[in-house]
């Protein structure tokens, strides 16, 4: 008598085969599951905060710009105001530091400190916000 039929996972269509183990649920920590509303609020907060691109991180480091929680909050506020006006790409000024931000993606493209702004031209922006 032949043994059980074994499926080659490389050619088996989805849904065919043995039982699968459930994948780890988002928010599971040490066997405890966070309530949905906590996970949802955390993801919502994270999606609404401005992210820094790799280029922007490099510029902040190279130009010695201190990017702290207070500056981040003001930058977020400026991006929110630009988004409310329908901006796509904005120049947001925070304490003299200029940030070029993709408003739709909420991503900082580059950052320029006050000492480096002399005779600088900002292109590909449709709005400017002083925050």
């Amino acid at each position: 008598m032949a043994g059980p039929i074994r499926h080659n996972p490389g050619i088996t269509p989805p849904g065919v085969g043995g039982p699968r183990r459930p994948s780890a649920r988002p928010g599971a920590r040490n066997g405890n599951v966070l309530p949905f509303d906590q996970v949802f609020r955390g993801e919502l907060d994270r999606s609404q905060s401005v992210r820094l691109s790799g280029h922007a991180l490099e510029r902040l480091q190279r130009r010695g710009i201190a990017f702290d929680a207070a500056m981040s909050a003001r930058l977020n506020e400026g991006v929110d105001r630009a988004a409310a006006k329908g901006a796509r790409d904005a120049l947001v000024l925070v304490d003299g530091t200029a940030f070029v931000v993709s408003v739709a993606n909420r991503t900082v493209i580059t950052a320029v400190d006050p000492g480096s702004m002399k005779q600088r031209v900002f292109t590909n922006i449709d709005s400017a916000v002083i925050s």
Side-chain angles (χ1 to χ4, degrees):
M1 183 172 236
I5 298 174
R6 295 189 181 158
H7 296 279
N8 180 342
I11 60 172
T12 304
V16 176
R20 295 179 182 231
R21 290 184 175 172
S23 60
R25 293 167 62 184
R29 293 183 185 156
N30 299 330
N32 298 328
V33 177
L34 295 174
F36 173 77
D37 62 332
Q38 282 184 337
V39 174
F40 182 71
R41 274 190 240 130
E43 289 297 315
L44 189 61
D45 290 343
R46 192 175 69 161
S47 69
Q48 291 180 349
S49 64
V50 175
R51 293 180 297 275
L52 298 170
S53 69
H55 178 78
L57 286 170
E58 179 186 322
R59 292 290 184 256
L60 288 171
Q61 184 179 16
R62 185 164 11 129
R63 293 176 175 155
I65 300 169
F67 190 79
D68 57 7
M71 184 176 277
S72 177
R74 291 183 56 205
L75 179 60
N76 275 301
E77 177 189 324
V79 172
D80 289 342
R81 290 180 16 217
K85 295 290 186 177
R88 291 183 309 272
D89 294 296
L91 171 69
V92 181
L93 294 170
V94 179
D95 294 333
T97 302
F99 297 93
V100 177
V101 181
S102 170
V103 177
N105 298 330
R106 300 189 66 84
T107 303
V108 175
I109 298 167
T110 193
V112 182
D113 63 297
S116 300
M117 272 198 273
K118 294 179 181 163
Q119 298 191 13
R120 292 286 191 190
V121 175
F122 294 94
T123 59
N124 298 324
I125 63 168
D126 59 21
S127 303
V129 178
I130 300 171
S131 184

